[in-house]
Amino acid sequence: MSNQINIVKTSDESILKFEAENFLVKHASFEFKNIEEAKDSVLAQQLFHLPFVKTVYIAQNFVAIQKYNIIEWEDVQEELANQIQDFINSGQNIVVEKSEQPKKIPVTVYAESTPNPHVMKFAANKKLVLRPLEFKNIDDTSEVELAQKLFHFPFVKEVYMDDNFISVQKYDMAEWDDITMELREFIRSYLEKNAELVKSTQSKNAQSNDKPSAQVNTTTENLQGISKQISEILEEYVKPAVASDGGNIVFQSYDEDTQAVHVILQGACSGCPSSTMTLKNGIENLLKDMLPQKINEVVAING
């Protein structure tokens, strides 16, 4: 599966991140300060041939580069992104990881209540997925084994995964007091035995939410004008808050005639009794304040 590289700024102006769509390394993160230290990474060696490269970091789903001040990022970042993308898509090892068994880091999972009484959030001490994954039933889970196994519990209605957490929505047949510990231990045990939830060679459909009901805009790349501004506001001000509650909000569309914003609610936000109040008192007011005379209402669609 080919990787698309996205350029991401960091809080350190000398460091720029080049994010991939899949995990690049499994067991560790790497820091190379010169070409000699980079003997286990052909990619890092190639980058050190560029005179402005000071340090190369490789971790999870990104390559980060720290530069010397002899150039500006704007002059080289696109060329760098293309170079990194071509290397990753060539199929070569990003880093030759040592053959000895890596030090095993214990996986911890803790359960958190959410504003939605039907949804419990299970957060881990490791990154699980690179993009939101939503499963409405077991038919959607063919490429994500953990989600499939969760649906084998008769009380599991829906499953949502994002970043380092899994949100599980239950049927009314069970109470959280009776099933939370069982689910938490099941998820922890699975994560401890499996390095990846979504295999990179099989993840196209699952990772991209390529189902008809989940065709949503997840980036601002193809948006313009007010739509782009709305999406950026949601990304910066709203998504971190809803993620902490085990959910997600995705911009779908903006109607210039009615000035209506349509968003999709996922995870704990989907079907949450308090979501309407959150939309009206929170998100709608925020957008009206930040985009005066451009927003009439926010309409939610459950994912």
Side-chain angles (χ1 to χ4, degrees):
M1 178 184 174
S2 63
N3 262 287
Q4 181 73 33
I5 294 297
N6 296 313
I7 301 170
V8 180
K9 293 181 179 179
T10 71
S11 57
D12 187 334
E13 292 184 357
S14 70
I15 298 176
L16 199 63
K17 286 172 64 175
F18 299 86
E19 288 190 348
E21 295 178 326
N22 293 298
F23 288 102
L24 303 179
V25 292
K26 292 183 179 180
H27 301 303
S29 52
F30 303 85
E31 178 179 344
F32 306 109
K33 292 186 178 297
N34 54 60
I35 197 167
E36 291 184 357
E37 290 185 0
K39 61 182 183 299
D40 292 326
S41 174
V42 175
L43 173 59
Q45 289 179 32
Q46 291 180 2
L47 292 171
F48 276 115
H49 284 296
L50 302 170
F52 56 83
V53 172
K54 181 179 181 181
T55 308
V56 176
Y57 308 90
I58 300 176
Q60 295 182 319
N61 67 315
F62 67 84
V63 176
I65 297 174
Q66 184 177 33
K67 69 175 179 66
Y68 291 105
N69 291 327
I70 59 176
I71 53 93
E72 298 297 328
W73 281 125
E74 288 74 14
D75 298 328
V76 297
Q77 61 186 31
E78 293 297 336
E79 185 177 349
L80 269 174
N82 289 333
Q83 180 179 344
I84 294 169
Q85 181 173 298
D86 289 344
F87 184 92
I88 293 172
N89 290 334
S90 71
Q92 300 180 65
N93 285 334
I94 310 301
V95 180
V96 178
E97 301 187 56
K98 303 301 182 182
S99 57
E100 60 264 20
Q101 195 71 14
K103 183 178 179 181
K104 191 171 184 179
I105 300 175
V107 175
T108 59
V109 175
Y110 57 93
E112 293 182 355
S113 299
T114 75
N116 189 337
H118 300 293
V119 176
M120 186 69 70
K121 174 184 175 182
F122 297 89
N125 63 332
K126 58 180 285 188
K127 195 175 187 70
L128 304 179
V129 294
L130 302 178
R131 293 169 210 68
L133 303 176
E134 187 171 44
F135 307 97
K136 293 293 187 181
N137 54 62
I138 198 169
D139 290 339
D140 296 341
T141 65
S142 59
E143 294 169 356
V144 184
E145 185 185 48
L146 176 56
Q148 189 173 86
K149 287 181 176 294
L150 286 170
F151 276 105
H152 289 166
F153 291 95
F155 47 77
V156 171
K157 183 179 181 181
E158 296 181 16
V159 176
Y160 175 78
M161 301 178 177
D162 195 1
D163 194 39
N164 72 323
F165 70 86
I166 299 169
S167 291
V168 176
Q169 184 172 162
K170 70 174 182 67
Y171 289 105
D172 289 336
M173 62 182 288
E175 298 297 330
W176 284 122
D177 288 344
D178 300 325
I179 62 175
T180 297
M181 291 297 293
E182 180 182 9
L183 281 173
R184 185 184 69 81
E185 179 56 27
F186 177 82
I187 292 171
R188 187 202 63 77
S189 177
Y190 185 93
L191 295 178
E192 203 160 59
K193 296 174 183 175
N194 296 270
E196 296 178 325
L197 289 192
V198 183
K199 303 300 181 184
S200 59
T201 56
Q202 298 178 322
S203 62
K204 182 176 180 181
N205 288 338
Q207 288 279 31
S208 62
N209 275 342
D210 203 19
K211 308 245 178 242
S213 60
Q215 292 180 352
V216 296
N217 292 315
T218 57
T219 69
T220 62
E221 292 178 5
N222 299 320
L223 300 177
Q224 295 179 339
I226 300 300
S227 293
K228 183 178 179 68
Q229 290 178 276
I230 294 169
S231 182
E232 290 175 343
I233 291 170
L234 294 178
E235 288 285 338
E236 182 174 357
Y237 297 98
V238 180
K239 280 197 175 188
V242 297
S244 68
D245 286 333
N248 188 30
I249 183 168
V250 181
F251 171 75
Q252 187 189 51
S253 64
Y254 170 70
D255 189 313
E256 292 187 7
D257 295 328
T258 63
Q259 295 187 336
V261 179
H262 290 81
V263 296
I264 293 176
L265 302 179
Q266 297 177 315
C269 296
S270 180
C272 177
S274 63
S275 62
T276 300
M277 183 179 299
T278 301
L279 280 171
K280 296 301 178 185
N281 294 343
I283 301 169
E284 188 172 283
N285 288 340
L286 174 66
L287 290 174
K288 286 180 176 179
D289 288 342
M290 300 189 75
L291 298 171
Q293 311 302 317
K294 299 295 183 182
I295 307 298
N296 181 42
E297 64 173 341
V298 176
V299 180
I301 304 164
N302 286 326

